[in-house]
Amino acid sequence: MNRLLAPFGSRIDRSRPIRFTFEGKPFKGYEGDSIASALAASGQWVLSRSFKYHRPRGILSMTGTDANALVQLPFEPNAAAERTPIREGLRVSAQNVNGSLERDRDAIMDRFGRFLPVGFYYRTFIGPRRDSWLKFWEPMIRRKAGLGVVDAKAPHRHFDKTHLHCDVLVVGAGPAGLSAAIAAAEAGVDVALCDENPEIGGALSYGRYDPAILSGLLSRLESLPNLKVLTGTVCNGWYEDNWLPLIEGNRLHRTRAREVILATGAIEQPAVFRNNDLPGIMLGGAAQRLIRHYGVRPGQGAMVLAANDDGYRTALDLLDAGVSVVELIDPRPAGEAGPLEAELRGKGVAIRKGATIEAAEGTAGNHHLARVRVGGSWIACDLLTVSIGQAPAWQLPCQAGGKVGYDAGMQTMTITLPKGPVHLAGAVAGSDDLEDAIASGRRAAAAALSRLGQAVATESPVTPKSARSHYVQPIVADPKGRDFVDFDEDLQVKDLQNATKDGYREIELVKRFTTVGMGPSQGRHSALATARIVAEATGRTVGEIGITTARPPVGPETLGVLAGHHEVLERRTALHARHVALNAAMKPVGAWWRPYYYGDASSAEEAIREEILAVREGVGLLDVSTLGKLEIRGPDAGEFLDRLYTMAHANQPVGRVRYCLMLNEMGSVIDDGVAYRMAQDQFYVTATTGAVARVYADMLFWNAEWRLKVDVLNLTGAFSGLNVTGPKARQVLETLESDIDFSRDASPYLSGREGILAGVPVRVMRIGFTGELSYELHCASSLAPSLWDAVMAAGRPHGLRPYGLEASRILRLEKGHILIGQDTDAITTPEELGFGWAVSKKKPFFVGKRSIEMRARLGQSRKLVGLQFPAGARNIPGESCLVLRGGAPVGQITSVGFSPSLGTHIALAYVHVDDQAEGSRVTVKCRNGELVEVPVVAHAFFDPTNARQEI
């Protein structure tokens, strides 16, 4: 066992042992252990096999950002073993193995590396026949490609989404991030601080630093109620206007911040030498994390490659953990000894300057490190820690507009950001030591506060330390190879050099030809070395080469996190119980449950026919509560609607209702409804059930853009609607107690009234979707059931019958009224619908006006028309069946149904513009392939003069 005693192991709870299996073998760890740390504590160092050569791989960084430690879980492939916590009974297996992890049959690929040069897949697999790729090579490669296995039967998990708003968001809770967050919060603004680790502190939680520094910062943080801390939360990208996705397990925080401070730190870089990928070779920070976070001894006898103070601190930590440090190798030339060096020498550790690790060798099968070569001599060890330098975590800064450069004097990467709402702090900003990192956090907070208009105290400058250039490892290809630059893709030095010899001199082309930086680490451990190799090979500077573009996401994210809730969203109107009591056949329409018809399934067709005839001959009642209901208030309400809709509303009289047609910027129809002007500064607007969310969002967007004096309220759920329609509709309403005059003169067609009906405050609009005398009654949803009951009781002597969605669909089809999304598509214009009458020619502007004018100049190719099939026709085409002209498709059926009022089937369809005239005959291809000819008729099949709706 490699487990250390307390106080080592800050993350684990030794009182709670956990048992799990890896590759079918039992293992034990503790609550708080990751898969990798628990396995390491038990001496299991091989975690996976490499992608191309199937070489044994183990812990590299303990940050979960590379392919070395990806494992397979029962329902999740590519899980980061270094980050994924163990749980009781968890079954873990290795990935990318043929056979077993210990005896991988595909390990033979390592011997055939010479036959698999970089880019070989671009030049092979092209014969011997033209179809060889599809018939032979692709199936074989697919069997070998990929890492984990997706379980299509994995159970659904719960995912969640929240919205988070703050004045300042600080990404990274290391010393710089903590300092920045505390300074901003102490100034009184709302601050959110996120970090991917389960605790805050960053390097202070595992590095060799005075514990009082972290405890002092934490005590200040805990006293700030306006500072929200999110641990275990990854900031996975930066998007326009400081929109950032924060992923906390299965929850996505959609975050908007006024100012953002990126304290994302720096990324340790591996050294390049032969067999640098062996298990037992790890970054210095990985060894420190194993020791301090998990109480795991990373080895027995260690060699330390140290080109900075971090390497010396790692050596001291190894000694404290009981690891014998065989020798510390410092590739820098000899100089004045610092306090860390003196401390190490005082503990008897040999330090060799001006030397480096030249190669490594492993045990049988390369399952673990056995020895390293220094100065031509082999030294036995089972652990090599590497601390040769770092690169700033450039991903988020670059997404926010930052530019990566290279300081040739200091021999390090740099990041510069344009002036704006994003700031850098700590190592990502180039602060090397702890004191400067903490001060840079305060400076970043001061800059953010200044932009927020807060008074800020002047930050005392930190006394600069003597600058010392960073060590740069000379990268020379080993004659025997296996000197890996990119562990994810098994890319060696010679692979990148050969790419430049093939003419790929630019870093983006090198990436695409070799796949360097395309693996799970996304270049974190290979980008800087690659830039140096390409610069050397092409005779340019590292600054001229640069690195490849960093795009979101920063790290892996599950589709479930992006999708959010798996639960089916269901909405029910306030009248749902009334429909069920009336034996309605309820069906989902989007999220809403609506009555399809009323009656038994055995007599569905007859029930629908009777509901239609009830409306045409008597009176019907429809629940229209699912309609979008929006209230526009303010002195600019009329101007606002004038800009949003195609008709004129600024001059619309109070008490009148007007049709609304909405276009997008492309000039395509996206919604329709009606607008009732209740007062000079108040409109009540309806939208279609399926589009109201978009319409509301568009209204808010344009309101923010135009800055008019209006407020937009979404009353869809707060208000319900009932449509009383049919020749006897007025008689029914007039029997109810009301202060509204429903007569033709007092409430003419397209008028709106407010008042009390049956004791319920209502808004009444006289509109005619069915083509009959209709009154649409809108009231508070809490009062809708009592209004429904009152109307039903009043209508009983008149034969009132509730009708469902299918009857409503046929009734509107008989009148030729369109349904948005069914009779329209993404490119439908008003002219194609025959709605030129609904587009104001006098308004100087409305959304989509310029586009429809431009599209009109291009000419029209189709028109929506009515089709009426002969009575008794047997082969009726369905919706989406093609309309042909000269054998070529020119349109399609959009709506079709049997009209009891007409005794025949009718349809709406797009036809060629030259066939739009009434009396033309068009060819339609039925579902069985038969072609039928159908005459074109006017849109309004029933009552084309609209006399019935205006009685």
Side-chain angles (χ1 to χ4, degrees), residues 652-671:
Q652 180 177 335
V654 173
R656 295 296 293 172
V657 177
R658 191 162 288 177
Y659 181 70
C660 296
L661 190 67
M662 178 179 276
L663 312 180
N664 61 14
E665 293 93 327
M666 195 173 74
S668 298
V669 175
I670 59 172
D671 194 50

Side-chain angles (χ1 to χ4, degrees), residues 66-99:
D66 54 83
N68 277 21
L70 295 182
V71 295
Q72 176 79 44
L73 300 183
F75 303 117
E76 182 182 352
N78 303 318
E82 296 169 333
R83 284 197 174 277
T84 305
I86 59 172
R87 61 180 183 270
E88 190 65 36
L90 180 66
R91 291 180 291 110
V92 187
S93 56
Q95 296 187 157
N96 201 42
V97 298
N98 181 5

Side-chain angles (χ1 to χ4, degrees), residues 218-450:
L218 291 179
S219 64
R220 292 172 60 192
L221 179 145
E222 291 167 358
S223 65
L224 296 167
N226 56 325
L227 201 166
K228 181 182 180 68
V229 178
L230 296 168
T231 54
T233 302
V234 177
C235 180
N236 226 23
W238 181 95
Y239 297 86
E240 198 67 30
D241 296 326
N242 275 354
W243 191 93
L244 302 98
L246 305 185
I247 301 175
E248 182 185 10
N250 288 342
R251 173 173 292 176
L252 172 62
H253 300 275
R254 294 182 280 196
T255 307
R256 184 81 69 178
R258 296 173 66 189
E259 298 290 314
V260 172
I261 298 174
L262 300 177
T264 48
I267 303 165
E268 278 191 287
Q269 299 297 295
V272 180
F273 53 85
R274 177 168 167 76
N275 290 329
N276 61 336
D277 65 329
L278 291 174
I281 301 176
M282 64 183 70
L283 299 172
Q288 290 180 303
R289 286 179 170 92
L290 282 172
I291 293 169
R292 284 209 163 80
H293 283 162
Y294 301 106
V296 174
R297 182 185 295 108
Q300 300 297 326
M303 291 289 290
V304 177
L305 178 59
N308 51 38
D309 286 351
D310 290 337
Y312 283 77
R313 294 188 184 98
T314 300
L316 290 167
D317 282 343
L318 290 171
L319 291 173
D320 290 347
V323 179
S324 172
V325 177
V326 180
E327 192 173 4
L328 184 144
I329 308 300
D330 189 338
R332 300 172 295 181
E336 183 179 348
L340 294 173
E341 180 180 342
E343 186 177 356
L344 271 175
R345 290 189 185 276
K347 292 177 180 288
V349 176
I351 298 176
R352 192 186 316 191
K353 296 289 189 78
T356 191
I357 304 295
E358 298 158 357
E361 283 189 354
T363 58
N366 281 336
H367 287 175
H368 200 76
L369 173 68
R371 60 179 186 165
V372 297
R373 191 179 72 214
V374 182
S377 300
W378 289 97
I379 303 172
C381 61
D382 67 349
L383 171 66
L384 170 63
T385 65
V386 176
S387 302
I388 64 163
Q390 301 175 325
W394 67 88
Q395 292 82 3
L396 284 174
C398 286
Q399 292 167 22
K403 300 295 181 184
V404 174
Y406 190 79
D407 186 333
M410 294 297 295
Q411 296 184 336
T412 186
M413 286 174 60
T414 61
I415 300 177
T416 54
L417 275 174
K419 287 186 177 181
V422 182
H423 316 271
L424 301 181
V428 72
S431 299
D432 279 343
D433 66 89
L434 179 59
E435 186 181 354
D436 187 35
I438 292 174
S440 76
R442 292 194 296 264
R443 289 194 295 270
L449 290 169
S450 177

Side-chain angles (χ1 to χ4, degrees), residues 15 177 510 687 728 755:
S15 68
V510 170
K728 299 179 180 179

